[in-house]
Amino acid sequence: MRNDRSFSLHIPEPSARPGGTPDFSHLHLEPAGAARRPVAETPGLEMRDMPYRFIRVLDEAHEAVGPWAPRIEPDMLLRGLRAMMLTRIFDDRLFRAHRQGKTSFYMKSTGEEAIPVAQSLLLGARDMCFPTYRVLGWLMARNYPLIDLVNQIFSNEADPLRGRQLPILYSARDYGFYSLSGNLGSRMSHAVGWAMASAYKGDDSLALAYVGDGTTAEGDFHEALTFASVYRAPVLLCITNNQWAISSFSGFAGAQEAPLASRAIGFGLPGLRVDGNDFLAVWAATQWAVERARANLGPTLIEFVTYRVAGHSTSDDPTKYRPGDEANHFPLGDPVERLKQHLIALGVWDEARHAALTEELDQAVRAAVKQGEAVGTLGESKPPVREMFEHVFATPDWRLIEQRRELGV
Amino acid sequence: MTMIQAINSALDVMLARDPDVLVFGEDVGYFGGVFRATEGLQAKHGLTRCFDTPIAEGGIIGCAIGMGAYGLRPVAEIQFVDYILPAYDQLVSEAARLRYRSGGEFSAPITVRSPYGGGIFGGQTHSQSPEALFAHVTGLKTIIPSNPYDAKGLLIASIEDYDPVIFMEPKRIYNGPFNGRHGEQLRNWAGEPTAQVPEGHYTVPLGKAVIVRAGKDATVLAYGTMVHVAMAGIEESGVDAELIDLRSIVPLDIEAITASVAKTGRCVILHEATRFAGFGGELSALVQERCFWALKAPIARVAGWDTPYPHAFEMDYLPGPGRLAAALARVMED
């Protein structure tokens, strides 16, 4: 083909802007049960179709169908439902706390709860999650104390991170939850290094890392995939593709050209593309990748297709760049509602119990917030100022000691 | 031992002593490193203890941090410190802050070895001295040895330290001391007292400077290759100057510095790095704040010019003994 005209620069555009009608046909979704399930030991070369398939278990009738349908006891499903509901209720309550001036910042994970909750319940106590700021469900599934979350968000005297961190950038080693930071993508290679260390020591602790769709464009993503592949590290590399990186749609991460899961192919890794709003599909895909890692066959890249229902953060107004009702058009629905309907279909759940649980969780969150408020909200209470100078080094050097004295603490 | 042999010995000792020590980087494994610093280590200690990495500095440091958080003591090599910048985010945003931001739950006890400095016709990307970029980052330690004995002892201390350490190795003096005079015959480490290096385990503490030459009329602060240049410059000047080898940029031995300047009343700072906002600026400010009433003359800085490191103009760029001698003469006039 001869280039007989001048070039034109392509700038990706989302299907709809405010006032428009969203179109998600570019996601190329498949019905529940359609995607094949290779055995976990399958060589990577024989799975190059998988990133283009779509793993989905729950069908329109809320039944688990197809080769990926996992065997999960109803009690475990109920634990999942509970943790997802708790995450959402907590998000709503603390988002409001920000609006009431009790803290400086908050980020919700509304619509994405199934991913970290299922993975947290499935992985072991000694496995380490390298989170993003949108996987609170991991901690909720492991019963991390609500009061510690609240105290961290209020940066008060009882804040486990001693008032040093922006709200929601938690760290909870005992709950398999690595220290969060504001910079994107840089902890993905920490997960790979952790997994390499585990392999080197002959341990069985694996690592799981999350990045958002936007962050797949960072160099760290590329480096982490390279190292994971080269050293066959026992790590699960997860992309939560919620379609939006603040105001930029996933096309700016290159998702318009190919599914993000297909990034795996060039690294010789299995890549799975999964319904992120389907608790059972998240569970099944994760179980598959864990099985592969535990068999010493190395890493898996999993793209969870989901939708960021809320604004990016308390500082964001999504109605300025996307249709206000876009979430309602998202074809994968709501993860809490879908799991709830599945449990009802199984005959182990009903509306009355659901309402009672909602009330119970709401009370628990209210009680935790009240307890945190009693300690103090931002500006009312903080850890001793002396704490500002601790933990810079294992032992403070003379500068820190002098500066602490200069401040009179 | 040469400095290369001393570094190799430090790694060998620590690999044998601590199963949690891993050594890795570009060309570090089978080949033994482009400067031979890791020669023989893979053959002796095994593939999983000393291995090659992809060419990705951010990945090398990122993985090292993850290993450190797990509980290992990784020793990563960046082939030239000029190429550490792709890993700068990992060092600044992650390694340096992990302990602080996690309230002590996680830390990164990693050591990053990297050859630095000029004098080898390395041009713009094989000669730089970016210690100020690390000194400014709270949470990082930066160590620069100037001889084989210190190199081994400081490297072992760095690996055993609980904080992330940038260990900058002056590649110009890997195989012999260099006083900045290019016309002179190349020297090797044989016969130098500091080349007497014990075979086994020992440490040189981080944060402790050493007086290389005692003197009463002026204090010269230097580190790395410039310690040798400083010695030649002091002899050329005829000034009875006290030469302090800082050895640690962070933590800095402030007591050794202030004790010397309080005694001499004059201070000249010498480094290869560019001058503006270089580490000499911090040293100058500290001396001025703490020794103001003892100072008899303005503090002088002798440094690389504020240009990228040039190739053809290397000897016009690299501070030599003549420039130090001139600065000493100047501070003695006041």
Side-chain angles (χ1 to χ4, degrees), chain B residues 164-186:
Chain B
V165 179
I166 314 293
F167 192 84
M168 289 172 55
E169 302 168 359
K171 59 185 161 319
R172 181 62 184 82
I173 57 173
Y174 265 157
N175 294 310
F178 173 66
N179 63 14
R181 293 194 184 103
H182 263 259
E184 290 186 4
Q185 201 181 350
L186 290 176

Side-chain angles (χ1 to χ4, degrees), chain A residues 171 179 200-201 203 231 402, chain B residues 19-20 52 70 101 105 290:
Chain A
S171 177
S179 159
Y200 163 72
K201 294 293 273 187
D203 194 357
Y231 299 107
E402 283 188 4
Chain B
D20 289 339
D52 293 319
Y70 176 92
R101 74 171 192 236
E105 283 194 335
R290 285 156 195 261

Side-chain angles (χ1 to χ4, degrees), chain B residues 10-11 14-15 18 21 23 73-75 109-111 113 154-163 165 206:
Chain B
L11 297 171
M14 291 311 293
L15 282 165
D18 184 350
V21 171
V23 174
R73 290 193 176 273
V75 185
I110 68 171
T111 303
R113 291 182 40 245
L154 287 168
L155 181 51
I156 291 176
S158 298
I159 297 169
E160 291 177 344
D161 197 81
Y162 292 93
D163 293 310
V165 179
L206 308 186

Side-chain angles (χ1 to χ4, degrees), chain A residues 219-268:
Chain A
D220 295 275
F221 177 76
H222 187 100
E223 290 179 315
L225 283 173
T226 302
F227 279 70
S229 168
V230 165
Y231 299 107
R232 294 187 194 164
V235 60
L236 275 58
L237 302 170
C238 304
I239 304 164
T240 53
N241 179 0
N242 67 16
Q243 316 303 321
W244 290 97
I246 308 186
S247 73
S248 303
F249 87 115
S250 62
F252 283 99
Q256 235 178 11
E257 312 301 322
L260 296 175
S262 73
R263 305 291 189 262
I265 294 174
F267 294 91

Side-chain angles (χ1 to χ4, degrees), chain A residues 164 171-173 178-180 183 186-187 189-190 193 200-201 203 220 223 231 388 390-392 394 398 402, chain B residues 19-20 49 52-53 58-59 62-63 66-67 69-70 90 93-94 98-101 103 105-106 138 163 252 290:
Chain A
R164 295 174 190 149
S171 177
R173 185 166 191 139
Y178 189 71
S179 159
L180 271 164
N183 47 322
S186 47
R187 284 155 313 282
S189 55
H190 300 195
Y200 163 72
K201 294 293 273 187
D203 194 357
D220 295 275
E223 290 179 315
Y231 299 107
M388 182 165 67
E390 304 288 325
H391 288 137
V392 177
W398 57 268
E402 283 188 4
Chain B
D20 289 339
R49 303 295 309 282
D52 293 319
T53 63
C63 285
M67 291 176 183
Y70 176 92
Q90 288 290 351
S93 309
E94 297 292 337
L98 187 53
R99 182 194 303 281
Y100 188 75
R101 74 171 192 236
E105 283 194 335
F106 296 92
T138 191
D163 293 310
L252 183 68
R290 285 156 195 261

Side-chain angles (χ1 to χ4, degrees), chain A residues 37 55-58 68-81 84 113-124 141 208 236 272 274-291 302 304 339:
Chain A
R37 185 186 187 281
I55 298 168
R56 190 173 189 185
V57 170
L58 290 173
W68 286 91
R71 285 198 197 91
I72 316 177
E73 293 300 315
D75 276 0
M76 183 60 87
L77 292 175
L78 286 166
R79 278 176 67 188
L81 181 70
M84 286 162 68
E113 297 93 339
I115 301 159
V117 166
Q119 297 197 307
S120 182
L121 290 173
L122 183 54
L123 267 66
L208 180 150
L236 275 58
L272 304 179
V274 180
D275 180 345
N277 291 5
D278 177 342
F279 185 91
L280 280 77
V282 174
W283 184 284
T286 306
Q287 201 166 38
W288 186 92
V290 167
E291 199 181 318
I302 313 177
F304 294 107
L339 182 57

